[in-house]
Amino acid sequence: MASSFLMDQSPDAPRCIITIGEIVVEIMAETQGTGFLEPMALKGPYPSGAPAIFIDQVARLGVECGIVSAVGRDDFGTLNIERLRRDGVDVSAILSVDSFATGSAFVRYRPDGSRDFVYNIRQSACSQTGLHEAARGLLKRATHVHVMGSSLFSFPIIDAVTTAVHQVKAQGGTVSFDPNIRKEMLDIPDMRAALQLMLQECDIFLPSGPELLLFSSGTTQEAAIAEILDMGVSEIVLKQGSEGATCFCADKTVHGAPFPAQEIDPTGAGDCFGATYVTCRLLGKTREDSLRYACASGSRAVSFFGPMEGTSDFAALDQLIAGQNTGEKA
């Protein structure tokens, strides 16, 4: 059962947020359509991977952080490592391997806004992610671990994430969990069991829309929220896209209003939102302020083409919030 998510820590208390999971390059079709069954114009590569986007956003907010992952000894791996290092992420636990290529994701948007993916993750360098010596060194410093459901694609990584979660909690730290479920990954053996375990261990749960109902026996949102809170989860932060987001806790419910945005590319917006909310809470900000910053972060992220191109620092978020407060167009 998750521990109580305590926010009474000093703003100056040392903290180190880590995550474990895939680093990939994203290559995006320039035209809308269905699938990749004919030649088409592509744009990229862009640094990507849900855990990588998350941790890059944390770093942009000025908090110590790092990622445990693996890339190939190729240009795609170098591209990702250098981008994360530039933004302030501890990259010491990213393993560079010779026998595997860096993971990749080809993406094409359909006219209705949904996406088609062609992944190379399970057979890529990502599959070599584990708790090697440098990773264990990073883990010893961690005060919070963030888990992405998309990263739980193999037994070794599930074991590494589970070990990290238990160690960080034993160190007095906390856990956040974003299911981040892709339809292409639901047929992976024991994925559901791993997701359920992470839910039971987390303090902050960050589902998107219908993901909430996948983790309870309830058939309504209200029943699902009650059941999940009864497990010991301290905060359920439901991402609701253009409707903003809502935080459900045992003592109160807080809604975060959306920020108007010209959507150019929604990829990575949920990861930026989650990273900003978690970081703000760990910095001691209220749920209301944390939701405001997170909604601003997600809004700003969709305004840039490329999954990691819209990560924000506090100055940019403050400017966006101030603009909305004075009635300016986002």
Side-chain angles (χ1 to χ4, degrees):
M1 179 176 289
S3 60
S4 176
F5 193 67
L6 300 177
M7 292 295 108
D8 297 328
Q9 54 191 309
S10 165
D12 298 322
R15 58 185 57 81
C16 178
I17 301 173
I18 71 162
T19 191
I20 301 174
E22 70 275 12
I23 291 176
V24 305
V25 290
E26 196 151 312
I27 299 169
M28 308 165 78
E30 294 186 350
T31 58
Q32 291 186 346
T34 302
F36 294 90
L37 297 177
E38 60 187 11
M40 64 190 69
L42 301 170
K43 193 171 183 178
Y46 290 98
S48 191
I53 300 167
F54 176 94
I55 211 67
D56 191 80
Q57 177 58 74
V58 172
R60 292 294 309 279
L61 295 175
V63 172
E64 182 183 358
C65 61
I67 183 171
V68 178
S69 189
V71 297
R73 293 187 187 275
D74 51 37
D75 287 350
F76 292 166
T78 300
L79 172 73
N80 272 286
I81 290 175
E82 292 307 314
R83 170 57 183 274
L84 293 169
R85 179 185 285 121
R86 185 197 78 188
D87 286 348
V89 177
D90 184 335
V91 299
S92 63
I94 300 176
L95 190 67
S96 294
V97 296
D98 292 314
S99 302
F100 296 84
T102 299
S104 61
F106 287 78
V107 185
R108 192 180 194 192
Y109 286 92
R110 297 176 177 177
D112 65 0
S114 62
R115 294 170 289 179
D116 287 321
F117 290 90
V118 176
Y119 286 118
N120 174 29
I121 295 180
R122 295 182 70 187
Q123 284 77 41
S124 75
C126 299
S127 66
Q128 303 304 296
T129 300
L131 297 182
H132 47 79
E133 183 177 354
R136 292 187 182 278
L138 179 63
L139 187 55
K140 288 179 181 178
R141 304 191 343 250
T143 58
H144 183 89
V145 60
H146 179 73
V147 179
M148 285 285 186
S150 60
S151 302
L152 305 176
F153 57 83
S154 72
F155 288 119
I157 295 180
I158 290 171
D159 182 63
V161 171
T162 302
T163 298
V165 165
H166 290 160
Q167 180 172 331
V168 168
K169 295 188 75 171
Q171 293 169 180
T174 47
V175 178
S176 53
F177 171 46
D178 183 340
N180 194 38
I181 296 173
R182 297 282 186 264
K183 64 181 186 296
E184 294 86 354
M185 303 181 73
L186 289 177
D187 60 348
I188 297 174
D190 291 327
M191 168 69 87
R192 178 172 290 275
L195 294 169
Q196 199 69 36
L197 174 63
M198 295 306 149
L199 176 62
Q200 293 168 0
E201 296 289 348
C202 79
D203 300 283
I204 299 180
F205 180 46
L206 296 146
S208 294
E211 288 178 340
L212 182 67
L213 296 177
L214 296 176
F215 291 88
S216 77
S217 58
T219 58
T220 67
Q221 177 175 297
E222 292 75 15
I225 289 167
E227 183 177 332
I228 293 170
L229 289 175
D230 282 345
M231 293 179 186
V233 175
S234 296
E235 302 179 10
I236 302 171
V237 184
L238 182 63
K239 293 174 282 184
Q240 298 165 297
S242 61
E243 297 180 6
T246 305
C247 176
F248 301 94
C249 308
D251 60 333
K252 65 191 301 187
T253 297
V254 179
H255 181 69
F259 284 73
Q262 180 182 0
E263 183 176 300
I264 295 174
D265 178 12
T267 302
D271 306 322
C272 290
F273 172 97
T276 303
Y277 184 85
V278 168
T279 301
C280 285
R281 291 297 278 144
L282 290 171
L283 289 172
K285 296 186 185 297
T286 65
R287 295 169 186 139
E288 290 83 356
D289 285 345
S290 298
L291 277 175
R292 187 176 300 111
Y293 274 114
C295 287
S297 181
S299 173
R300 193 168 184 274
V302 305
S303 303
F304 292 80
F305 190 85
M308 204 182 287
E309 305 314 300
T311 56
S312 306
D313 57 21
F314 274 120
L317 297 180
D318 284 332
Q319 182 177 16
L320 180 57
I321 292 169
Q324 185 186 58
N325 290 341
T326 58
E328 295 177 5
K329 187 177 293 186

